[in-house]
Amino acid sequence: MQKLYGTVVPMVTPLTENDEIDVESLKRLTDHCIDGGLQCLYPCGTTGEMMYLSAEERRLTAETVVRHAAGRVPVFVHVGAWNLKDTLELADHAVKIGADGIGVVTPAFYKLSDAAIEEYYVTIAKSIPEDFPMYLYGIPQNAVNDLSVDVCCAVSRRCPNVVGAKYSFPDMTRLQQLMTVRDGAFSVLVGPDHLFEAVVAVGGDGTVSGNAMCIPEHYAALWDALQKKDFVLATKLQRRTNILNAVMCENNNIAAYKVILKAEGVISTTRVRRPMENLTEEQERQLLQRMRELDYRVVPA
């Protein structure tokens, strides 16, 4: 079964000034990520403002990316929603449109036991074909519920199509424990991308990075260095991305990504879905100025 690897891009969802999905910008963004040398696409995730989109909007977004990518890179659609019914329907849709797999965040808002989370994931995994891969997604700082190693072991034992996890909390101990699931065959990707080098060095498969949309050449170079086990260069590249990412993530990182992508002509507006906040005009000016002062397109050699 297909697995995620390298730099996986949780794409922003471009919006028109009328607050609708901007399909043409989404196609350009798909090309931008692929042409930038990034390995996999992940629409409708946290960076894609998933919980502020309707199920219909999420289907349109997923279908646009899958069809426009046209097999050039793997596309895994995030389908986790506010309730099980919508999640099951979005998972079924991802299968039907030809996605390469899905990701599913833990249930959000209400605190649940590990047993409840396990059954939730098993229900979803068994609703899709046995050979259709699924990743579990833990982001406890947003979703309330954490993703435990025990849950990953239990779900992957009961559902062979659950092939890995994306973990978006900077806990190296947890990340390494997840790598022991299924006798080490469990795929693990890190959300906080300042840990990209460290996680891959100890056996992880890559990172899920929104920052990579804006500086793809840095992530392409970093992945190449890691593949070659050139850790001197990888460390230099990792530190460079950390500096640039700190600037992009100083305020609202999703709004900042849209500012940079619009400035580069990839998307048409900076609009984010309310109640999320756009950057102020002054914040936009400072962001672009600081990135240019850092020569953000220059990749260390």
Side-chain angles (χ1 to χ4, degrees):
M1 280 184 280
Q2 176 71 58
K3 293 183 179 180
L4 294 168
Y5 64 97
T7 302
V8 179
V9 190
M11 306 164 71
V12 295
T13 303
L15 300 171
T16 67
E17 293 294 357
N18 293 326
D19 201 35
E20 298 173 344
I21 304 298
D22 185 345
V23 170
E24 293 307 312
S25 287
L26 188 55
K27 291 177 182 177
R28 289 197 298 272
L29 178 59
T30 299
D31 289 334
H32 171 77
C33 293
I34 296 171
D35 294 343
L38 305 177
Q39 282 67 48
C40 307
L41 302 180
Y42 188 67
C44 299
T46 301
T47 306
E49 303 169 73
M50 58 189 186
M51 294 304 194
Y52 289 166
L53 303 179
S54 68
E56 181 179 357
E57 289 174 322
R58 291 176 67 167
R59 287 192 289 270
L60 174 60
T61 299
E63 189 167 336
T64 300
V65 174
V66 169
R67 289 188 174 176
H68 195 68
R72 288 177 287 169
V73 297
V75 179
F76 276 58
V77 178
H78 177 261
V79 302
W82 282 116
N83 60 72
L84 179 59
K85 179 178 181 292
D86 285 349
T87 301
L88 290 170
E89 290 178 356
L90 289 169
D92 179 64
H93 179 259
V95 174
K96 288 177 177 176
I97 63 174
D100 294 287
I102 59 172
V104 187
V105 74
T106 58
F109 196 81
Y110 298 104
K111 186 65 177 175
L112 300 174
S113 67
D114 273 3
I117 296 171
E118 177 186 337
E119 291 307 316
Y120 174 80
Y121 277 134
V122 168
T123 299
I124 298 163
K126 289 187 178 296
S127 76
I128 55 179
E130 292 181 355
D131 60 351
F132 192 76
M134 171 173 148
Y135 274 74
L136 312 184
Y137 172 20
I139 183 168
Q141 65 271 35
N142 285 32
V144 176
N145 292 296
D146 203 351
L147 181 64
S148 72
V149 177
D150 287 345
V151 164
C152 291
C153 286
V155 175
S156 65
R157 183 174 59 250
R158 295 173 65 184
C159 306
N161 60 331
V162 174
V163 296
K166 172 200 172 188
Y167 196 64
S168 289
F169 191 78
D171 184 340
M172 277 298 291
T173 299
R174 175 69 58 85
L175 286 157
Q176 291 183 81
Q177 289 171 335
L178 290 171
M179 293 175 203
T180 67
V181 173
R182 199 178 276 156
D183 295 324
F186 202 62
S187 173
V188 178
L189 296 107
V190 61
D193 51 10
H194 62 277
L195 296 176
F196 186 11
E197 178 191 13
V199 166
V200 172
V202 297
D205 289 326
T207 188
V208 183
S209 170
N211 296 300
M213 280 179 290
C214 299
I215 50 173
E217 55 275 287
H218 295 269
Y219 283 82
L222 179 47
W223 178 243
D224 183 64
L226 290 169
Q227 292 296 99
K228 295 175 179 175
K229 300 190 184 301
D230 184 349
F231 292 108
V232 172
L233 177 57
T235 296
K236 186 186 298 184
L237 290 162
Q238 179 73 77
R239 290 175 181 173
R240 171 74 163 147
T241 63
N242 291 350
I243 292 168
L244 296 172
N245 294 347
V247 174
M248 288 189 281
C249 297
E250 185 174 349
N251 294 296
N252 179 340
N253 64 311
I254 297 171
Y257 300 153
K258 291 190 174 184
V259 168
I260 293 170
L261 291 166
K262 180 178 182 293
E264 295 186 346
V266 179
I267 64 176
S268 297
T269 80
T270 62
R271 187 179 183 91
V272 294
R273 177 58 57 87
R274 301 291 180 261
M276 192 174 291
E277 296 175 286
N278 278 97
L279 301 187
T280 65
E281 289 186 7
E282 179 59 19
Q283 287 173 330
E284 288 189 15
R285 187 192 66 79
Q286 290 184 4
L287 168 66
L288 294 174
Q289 178 180 325
R290 291 172 66 190
M291 292 295 281
R292 288 166 184 151
E293 288 173 350
L294 288 166
D295 290 328
Y296 73 103
R297 287 295 177 212
V298 177
V299 180

